[in-house]
Amino acid sequence: MSNVTQEPSEPSAQAIAQAEALTATAVEALPDGRLARQLDQGRPLRIKLGIDPTAPDIHLGHTVVLNKLREFQEAGHRVVLIIGDYTARVGDPSGRSAQRPMLDPAAIDANADTFMEQAFKILDRDKTEVRYNSEWLKMESDQLFSLMARPTVARLLERDDFQKRMAAEEPISLLELVYPLLQGYDSVAVEADVEIGGTDQKFNLLFGRDMQSSFEQPLQSILTLPILPGTDGVKKMSKSTGNYIGVTDPPEEMFGKVMRVPDAILGQYWQLLLSEDPPEGAGPNEAKRELGRRLVARFHGPDAPVAAEEHFNRLFVRHEMPDEVEDFSFAEDPAHMPALLAGAFGVSRSEARRAIGQGGVKLDGEAMPAEPLDYPADELDGRVLQLGKRRFRRLVKGA
RNA sequence: GGGGGAGUGCCCGAGUGGUUAAAGGGGACUGGCUGUAAACCAGUUGGCUCUGCCUACACAGGUUCGAAUCCUGUCUCCCCCA
């Protein structure tokens, strides 16, 4: 395929240096040396990222890739952000151990909107081209068949995920099998020069080259970036496993979540999110605090970290109440504690009873006794009800 | 189309007629310790008007004094052969 490109065979020293800078944090940049030759073409490259809007929010895991795109933009290149409104309906099998349900189009569209808005917290709008892949994937079936005629089943089944699932005798839908084709066709449609993704995307990214090749296009090079572990320190960060830090999380929550991350992955967080090592000589506590401050500042502005950190100190270090507590108004008199807790925190009454029995419920900081369960409304009015360590509501006697 | 296997609580997974709201593990929650975390210890983990009652082992019926366990049908999934 090299005959269709106008790349010089030996990249300039300058291009090599530039490529090295851009791939420093990447796990792999394939094919070897290709990026430098592309950079030498002296035109802005088209850097592709596809995101399936299966959830409405962007979390820090996404930002690793977005930050890389930003670097490309700063180097004068153009980002092609593909909203996978069509592929979201299919479901990417990458890293999956089970089939996932198809999403309904309305939800996908809503997700896509918030997603993009959040992506522009990082990307430069002026150097970004946003495309929806339904634009070209909503095709006639004979056109689809001609796509499907190209790759072989054996080729598709090579991938890890499928191997594992077959070995475990788990189902793989035909649709999932076709997914890489669709993603690959995205690359053809936007004439991508470079595609970026997490290491779990390697197969799909490489497959894009196959697709481009069958359409006799220049082949994209690919860049895989490390996967950011979630706040549990084990699994990939994702909304569905609940181990994520969202870019729209309020400052206190963002700071708190950072502080709760296991020490073991602190170094990775620093590297992947800030592209540097934790400060020399700082203990894990301080390193996490600094990480938290910087992230809060990045997403909420330079003034936000102070209040967020103070909130954290108050709640978790000094075990005091937050300065602002949401009201919960109740009408019953006398008030039945389990019912009150259920209403205020969305737990079941049984759970509430257990929590009380375990000393997990406090009123103005004092643990409540198991008995009695009923209190006169006047006695509770204005006091702060607490469940566990971090859930608070100010009780307000209402009509 | 034929044959075989399986569906249990948030997840995995024991249990094949009766002290089974259902072993064990994971996760989660609460308390302790702590640095916020990890590790560790203790407790909890279907619901409720809670010394008891109700609902639950894919779904719907049936057998039985009694069923997650037996029977029938339905749905779903997996494997093998074609």
Side-chain angles (χ1 to χ4, degrees):
Chain A
M1 280 307 120
S2 54
N3 55 330
V4 292
T5 74
Q6 63 277 56
E7 296 161 22
S9 49
E10 280 306 314
S12 66
Q14 188 199 358
I16 291 175
Q18 206 184 354
E20 261 172 26
L22 286 167
T23 57
T25 57
V27 176
E28 283 186 294
L30 300 170
D32 211 14
R34 178 78 201 291
L35 183 62
R37 290 198 296 276
Q38 288 177 305
L39 289 168
D40 239 0
Q41 292 173 52
R43 63 171 174 93
L45 297 174
R46 295 171 65 75
I47 317 297
K48 172 197 173 198
L49 172 71
I51 299 180
D52 285 354
T54 48
D57 294 306
I58 288 189
H59 54 60
L60 293 183
H62 296 115
T63 69
V64 174
V65 181
L66 292 173
N67 285 334
K68 176 58 67 185
L69 290 177
R70 174 81 199 194
E71 283 178 43
F72 272 93
Q73 288 183 324
E74 280 162 6
H77 303 286
R78 188 165 180 80
V79 165
V80 183
L81 181 64
I82 297 179
I83 305 292
D85 61 333
Y86 202 79
T87 37
R89 285 150 71 169
V90 175
D92 181 6
S94 293
R96 289 271 155 175
S97 54
Q99 292 186 51
R100 60 176 165 199
M102 289 180 76
L103 294 167
D104 90 275
I108 291 171
D109 288 348
N111 288 346
D113 288 347
T114 57
F115 225 98
M116 242 184 354
E117 195 175 313
Q118 294 173 23
F120 284 123
K121 277 177 176 255
I122 296 170
L123 296 179
D124 178 345
R125 224 177 256 269
D126 295 333
K127 291 179 182 163
T128 305
E129 177 179 325
V130 177
R131 305 286 291 274
Y132 288 76
N133 65 11
S134 57
E135 185 190 323
W136 52 82
L137 290 180
K138 243 183 191 168
M139 57 178 79
E140 297 292 323
S141 50
D142 50 356
Q143 202 185 341
L144 177 63
F145 293 153
S146 80
L147 278 191
M148 290 170 65
R150 299 164 195 270
T152 64
V153 172
R155 173 85 180 85
L156 288 168
L157 287 178
E158 278 171 17
R159 63 183 298 173
D160 240 41
D161 313 80
F162 289 154
Q163 293 290 354
K164 282 183 190 141
R165 281 163 65 176
M166 299 230 288
E169 301 190 342
E170 277 161 2
I172 297 168
S173 78
L174 207 50
L175 209 49
E176 290 179 281
L177 206 58
V178 171
Y179 186 92
L181 262 75
L182 302 181
Q183 180 170 338
Y185 189 60
D186 286 350
S187 290
V188 173
V190 304
E191 299 181 35
D193 294 306
V194 179
E195 182 167 7
I196 294 186
T199 50
D200 59 345
Q201 285 290 316
K202 184 174 170 183
F203 184 92
N204 289 346
L205 301 184
L206 285 170
F207 202 80
R209 291 169 55 83
D210 291 9
M211 293 302 286
Q212 287 177 316
S213 152
S214 49
F215 280 85
E216 299 182 359
Q217 271 189 14
L219 308 191
Q220 63 185 11
S221 63
I222 71 158
L223 217 59
T224 58
L225 299 176
I227 302 288
L228 185 75
T231 51
D232 59 352
V234 183
K235 293 186 203 128
K236 173 184 174 182
M237 182 176 284
S238 101
K239 180 128 185 173
S240 54
T241 42
N243 60 354
Y244 72 102
I245 301 177
V247 302
T248 54
D249 280 351
E252 315 81 54
E253 198 175 328
M254 190 178 273
F255 192 86
K257 281 183 179 177
V258 170
M259 291 305 284
R260 242 169 276 129
V261 159
D263 288 0
I265 58 168
L266 232 192
Q268 284 180 74
Y269 268 47
W270 268 84
Q271 262 308 322
L272 297 178
L273 297 172
L274 303 174
S275 303
E276 50 186 287
D277 285 321
E280 192 89 20
N285 190 355
E286 181 46 34
K288 266 186 223 178
R289 282 177 184 273
E290 181 58 21
L291 174 65
R293 283 181 212 124
R294 293 218 209 167
L295 291 174
V296 170
R298 179 186 294 177
F299 296 106
H300 293 285
D303 300 332
V306 176
E309 185 165 11
E310 171 51 25
H311 181 267
F312 175 83
N313 287 338
R314 183 189 283 263
L315 244 69
F316 297 100
V317 179
R318 300 198 300 270
H319 300 287
E320 294 166 359
M321 271 177 254
D323 38 8
E324 281 182 31
V325 179
E326 218 175 294
D327 285 348
F328 176 74
S329 67
F330 65 103
E332 304 77 22
D333 189 11
H336 188 59
M337 272 325 285
L340 214 54
L341 288 159
F345 303 109
V347 296
S348 77
R349 293 185 184 197
S350 297
E351 282 178 85
R353 271 189 214 96
R354 279 181 226 122
I356 295 171
Q358 293 179 131
V361 175
K362 290 174 187 159
L363 198 59
D364 283 346
E366 292 287 318
M368 300 195 78
E371 297 275 320
L373 286 179
D374 295 298
Y375 294 85
D378 286 330
E379 205 175 295
L380 298 176
D381 192 24
R383 303 179 76 182
V384 173
L385 184 64
Q386 178 182 356
L387 176 60
K389 280 179 178 143
R390 58 186 113 104
R391 283 178 280 184
F392 300 87
R393 284 291 182 283
R394 185 175 301 281
L395 296 172
V396 178
K397 185 180 156 190

